[in-house]
Amino acid sequence: MIRSMSTLVIATLTLLVGAAPASAANEQRAAIEEALSHDGLQKIKIKGIDLAYARPGASLAGYNKVIIDPVEVSFRKDWDPKRAGSRAKLSAQERENIRSGVARIVQEEFTKTLEKGAPYKVVKEAGADVLRLQIGIADLYVNAPDTMSPGRSRTYTLSAGEMTLVGELIDSESGQVISRVIDRREARNSGVMQLTNSVVNAQEARAIAASWARILRSRLDAAHAAKIP
């Protein structure tokens, strides 16, 4: 999913951080909106989400089960990772550990939030009442990647980093896309320098993933509630 939308994600993040001049940003927004709606989706507003599109007339009310595809994670192009407190660059394996760790955290948080109480269940097989959730984490940027190496020095940052969600809700039987969202989140910033390590990085990634999962859960709950007289 990220591979097919990589150009869109890069343009979106540039627009969201305000790096481009106003005229270029307007052109980017037009291109983004055209790409997001190319298959008939229309722009909607979802509180807490930067950009959201949905298929007119489609409803989530008929879905009680969810397939969560493996989460894809890609780093921001300009990320030049060095071990926290060191000038040494991260190895390919260390980068992969960060990527797989974030993917695992995101998958866990969505699963936990969706399955908390009735009526939803995370499953593996498609069906008439099964929604497929494709999640991509793009432009992951970790300010102080911590490899937990012995004797490492302490590192302080204002924020642990940032990442962008690229998500699609798809009917598991037909393959039709019901909704598409893009949302950039930065880890909490207290305004003062704080110790950053692997534990903090994981906590911040988990907090961001949980906030996205709660938004999806609230949309499902609202759709089901609307069916009740």
Side-chain angles (χ1 to χ4, degrees):
M1 187 265 297
I2 278 188
R3 285 189 294 272
S4 65
M5 298 180 71
S6 58
T7 302
L8 172 62
V9 171
I10 292 170
T12 300
L13 188 62
T14 301
L15 177 62
L16 293 176
V17 300
S23 58
N26 290 335
E27 292 179 3
Q28 287 175 349
R29 180 172 292 277
I32 290 165
E33 294 188 355
E34 181 179 355
L36 285 171
S37 60
H38 77 278
D39 51 357
L41 272 61
Q42 293 183 0
K43 190 174 183 179
I44 62 173
K45 290 185 178 181
I46 297 179
K47 186 177 180 180
I49 296 295
D50 291 322
L51 292 171
Y53 283 72
R55 187 165 301 283
S59 172
L60 299 178
Y63 300 102
N64 294 313
K65 302 181 183 70
V66 181
I67 295 173
I68 304 178
D69 284 354
V71 178
E72 297 185 33
V73 178
S74 62
F75 295 107
R76 206 166 84 186
K77 187 175 182 180
D78 63 351
W79 189 51
D80 186 22
K82 296 180 178 63
R83 295 187 183 95
S86 169
R87 293 185 179 181
K89 288 185 177 293
L90 293 181
S91 67
Q93 185 58 56
E94 288 168 336
R95 290 168 61 97
E96 182 56 34
N97 289 344
I98 294 173
R99 190 199 316 271
S100 61
V102 169
R104 174 181 52 78
I105 286 171
V106 172
Q107 188 116 16
E108 287 176 352
E109 289 302 315
F110 271 87
T111 300
K112 180 172 66 176
T113 300
L114 290 172
E115 289 195 322
K116 186 177 180 180
Y120 315 114
K121 183 178 180 181
V122 175
V123 298
K124 299 293 185 182
E125 301 295 331
D129 62 344
V130 180
L131 186 68
R132 179 178 295 277
L133 172 59
Q134 289 189 341
I135 306 170
I137 299 300
D139 290 353
L140 174 64
Y141 195 102
V142 184
N143 285 326
D146 178 21
T147 61
M148 301 184 69
S149 302
R152 67 190 187 279
S153 60
R154 293 186 175 185
T155 302
Y156 294 84
T157 64
L158 287 172
S159 166
E162 62 185 64
M163 56 186 179
T164 296
L165 169 74
V166 183
E168 289 185 336
L169 297 178
I170 303 168
D171 180 83
S172 67
E173 285 194 324
S174 68
Q176 185 179 67
V177 177
I178 298 170
S179 180
R180 183 177 293 126
V181 300
I182 294 180
D183 187 62
R184 172 183 172 271
R185 293 286 178 95
E186 184 176 356
R188 289 169 289 191
N189 187 332
S190 64
V192 296
M193 301 295 284
Q194 293 186 325
L195 176 66
T196 302
N197 54 36
S198 59
V199 175
V200 173
N201 290 339
Q203 288 175 340
E204 292 300 315
R206 197 170 291 280
I208 293 173
S211 68
W212 284 326
R214 286 193 296 269
I215 291 173
L216 173 57
R217 174 67 190 247
S218 69
R219 301 291 292 186
L220 284 166
D221 287 345
H224 281 75
K227 288 185 65 179
I228 301 173

